[in-house]
Amino acid sequence: MKIVILGAGVVGVTSAWYLAKAGHSVTVIDRQPAAALETSFANAGEVSPGYSSPWAAPGIPMKAMKWLFMEHAPLIIRPTADPAAWRWMGQMLRNCTSARYSVNKSRMVRIAEYSRDCLMALRDETGIQYDQRTQGTLEVFRTQKQFDGIAKDVAVLKAGGVAYEILDRDGCAAVEPGLSASKDKIVGGLRLPGDETGDCFMFTTELAKLAEQAGVTFLYDTGILRPITEGNRVKAIETTKGTLEADTFVGALGSYTPQFLKPLGVDLPVYPVKGYSITVPIIDAARAPVSTVMDEAHKIAITRLGDRIRVGGMAEIAGFSKDLPAKRQATLTHSIEDLFGGAGDQSQAKFWSGLRPMTPDGTPVIGPTRYTNLYLNTGHGTLGWTMACGSARVLADMVSGTRPEIETGDLAISRYAA
């Protein structure tokens, strides 16, 4: 089968890999000059199935009001008249119930756990290297109230059979020695020993090379103009370099997927939620994190990537803006210096922003649409790296007519029609 994938981020490239392995002829289109140059470029580096949680949770509306007035706020909402933003926020708020949180988190963990297994198998098969570490992740809590609030997450972890450890401050410092000097600033932590870390950009670019060797064609510097339909099928894609026909098409354009789908009358509730990161070289390895440490108070992840530290987080609703306000960098710098002071050279920090494609319920959209040959693999939010391999494997099975290894009935866009 001839398949065209729209988008060469981590989700698009992993989709290409698994579809090619399934025996299909695959072409990937992207407007950038190479793979992984947008949201996949400098994310936080976590492969954290156990921390796969929807942002829509009980208590979030009240917390959000408080966050708006914090100096180092994890949430920023810029004034906007964009009706899509307000609609998306309204949908998200409707998911902030205990019942919906439990359902949404359980299916996110299902995809993420499967994805980690797929990543491990891919790594064993190919020997791919991407500054990976398999030493777990640690979420630290600065207040007793935060620490006491992990019960609902622990219940989901138990139900899913996910290994976890609840640690006091000394236990946190034992697994992350760099916290020794700052352990009095935390009360405890939740550690998931099965989680991993790695450089998403490095992984995606290396996998793209392997995919090319497997026969995948990448068309870079190619803008997508519009889909061309014939009845209930997509016949072709008009691009800046001509028209491409195929048997099947896959939309993996992240935050830009709704724009592609709009002419087709397909309403996808995905909205860009901006995140930021800084990357700093390590100057004192003894003070640096061993793996990923998540600062719950600021919703920031601090990750060891080889001889660098990646600090990523925050959620800013600002449409498609990618500007880099100094105030956001200050929040990232504050978090790492407060917990791992002196570990990295802040004078060499590289500042970046990316647009996370968020669904209102947190779960990505994977599966068919009302067009019989159009599939989606998008809406992964902050978890594109965590969920990429599993989402792509599931998609490849769907397209190939093979039954996926996990339940997928609640992943397609049809769940929003219900």
Side-chain angles (χ1 to χ4, degrees):
M1 189 184 303
K2 185 177 180 181
I3 299 173
V4 168
I5 297 174
L6 312 176
V10 66
V11 173
V13 172
T14 49
S15 297
W17 170 259
Y18 284 104
L19 284 165
K21 294 290 285 184
H24 302 289
S25 174
V26 182
T27 299
V28 182
I29 308 172
D30 199 282
R31 64 184 180 182
Q32 296 289 353
L37 292 181
E38 295 201 26
T39 305
S40 302
F41 182 70
N43 63 24
E46 307 163 72
V47 179
S48 300
Y51 289 120
S52 298
S53 300
W55 288 10
I60 285 295
M62 290 301 296
K63 288 181 180 179
M65 293 298 294
K66 295 177 182 177
W67 287 337
L68 293 175
F69 300 99
M70 287 174 56
E71 179 185 2
H72 297 295
L75 173 66
I76 306 101
I77 301 177
R78 293 194 191 180
T80 178
D82 182 4
W86 292 105
R87 179 186 175 208
W88 180 86
M89 285 189 281
Q91 291 173 309
M92 182 179 175
L93 288 172
R94 287 196 291 275
N95 277 278
C96 291
T97 66
S98 295
R100 291 190 181 187
Y101 177 85
S102 179
V103 169
N104 294 336
K105 182 175 175 65
S106 64
R107 63 189 180 188
M108 291 172 72
V109 170
R110 181 205 319 154
I111 302 167
E113 286 283 320
Y114 178 63
S115 188
R116 185 196 53 215
D117 294 343
C118 291
L119 173 61
M120 292 169 65
L122 188 155
R123 189 168 60 230
D124 290 343
E125 176 188 356
T126 65
I128 191 170
Q129 297 294 310
Y130 48 93
D131 276 345
Q132 66 264 31
R133 289 181 172 230
T134 57
Q135 293 165 269
T137 59
L138 173 67
E139 184 175 17
V140 296
F141 304 93
R142 293 175 181 263
T143 69
Q144 193 63 44
K145 184 177 181 180
Q146 290 173 349
F147 196 29
D148 293 341
I150 65 174
K152 62 181 184 296
D153 288 333
V154 168
V156 174
L157 295 174
K158 283 183 178 178
V162 180
Y164 69 91
E165 300 169 355
I166 298 175
L167 305 174
D168 59 17
R169 57 166 59 101
D170 289 326
C172 291
V175 297
E176 283 285 356
L179 289 172
S180 297
S182 60
K183 66 180 183 180
D184 289 343
K185 297 178 181 179
I186 62 177
V187 297
L190 174 63
R191 181 172 181 261
L192 301 183
D195 284 3
E196 302 185 7
T197 60
D199 188 320
C200 181
F201 172 74
M202 187 182 299
F203 170 85
T204 307
T205 53
E206 290 302 309
L207 188 62
K209 294 175 185 176
L210 294 173
E212 282 188 303
Q213 294 171 16
V216 175
T217 298
F218 287 86
L219 300 180
Y220 296 121
D221 292 311
T222 303
I224 297 164
L225 299 180
R226 67 183 183 95
I228 300 171
T229 60
E230 189 175 77
N232 65 347
R233 292 175 59 82
V234 175
K235 180 182 179 181
I237 300 294
E238 184 181 335
T239 78
T240 55
K241 294 185 178 179
T243 300
L244 287 178
E245 294 189 2
D247 301 307
T248 298
F249 297 87
V250 177
L253 292 164
S255 297
Y256 298 92
T257 313
Q259 296 177 9
F260 166 75
L261 294 174
K262 190 173 182 180
L264 297 171
V266 177
D267 184 14
L268 176 67
V270 165
Y271 196 77
V273 176
K274 187 178 180 182
Y276 296 90
S277 76
I278 56 173
T279 306
V280 298
I282 293 173
I283 55 176
D284 189 338
R287 296 185 180 186
V290 170
S291 188
T292 289
V293 173
M294 299 177 64
D295 184 349
E296 168 61 20
H298 301 299
K299 306 293 184 184
I300 285 173
I302 305 168
T303 300
R304 175 77 165 266
L305 296 176
D307 59 359
R308 302 160 294 149
I309 302 172
R310 173 73 49 75
V311 188
M314 292 180 284
E316 183 171 305
I317 298 174
F320 288 85
S321 167
K322 293 184 182 178
D323 63 347
L324 296 167
K327 189 175 182 180
R328 309 295 177 246
Q329 181 170 352
T331 296
L332 298 171
T333 302
H334 167 76
S335 183
I336 183 174
E337 288 301 311
D338 201 41
L339 294 178
F340 296 96
D345 183 356
Q346 295 299 332
S347 70
Q348 301 296 315
K350 295 180 180 178
F351 190 26
W352 173 87
S353 70
L355 302 177
R356 311 176 183 112
M358 298 287 295
T359 61
D361 56 18
T363 307
V365 177
I366 310 168
T369 68
R370 62 185 179 88
Y371 289 84
T372 57
N373 65 334
L374 174 62
Y375 289 77
L376 300 177
N377 192 5
T378 189
H380 295 75
T382 61
L383 298 166
W385 180 204
T386 293
M387 296 182 174
C389 289
S391 299
R393 175 64 189 275
V394 161
L395 178 86
D397 287 341
M398 290 178 176
V399 172
S400 303
T402 302
R403 184 174 181 176
E405 295 177 332
I406 61 170
E407 173 59 42
T408 60
D410 52 359
L411 303 182
I413 192 173
S414 57
R415 73 178 185 264
Y416 293 110

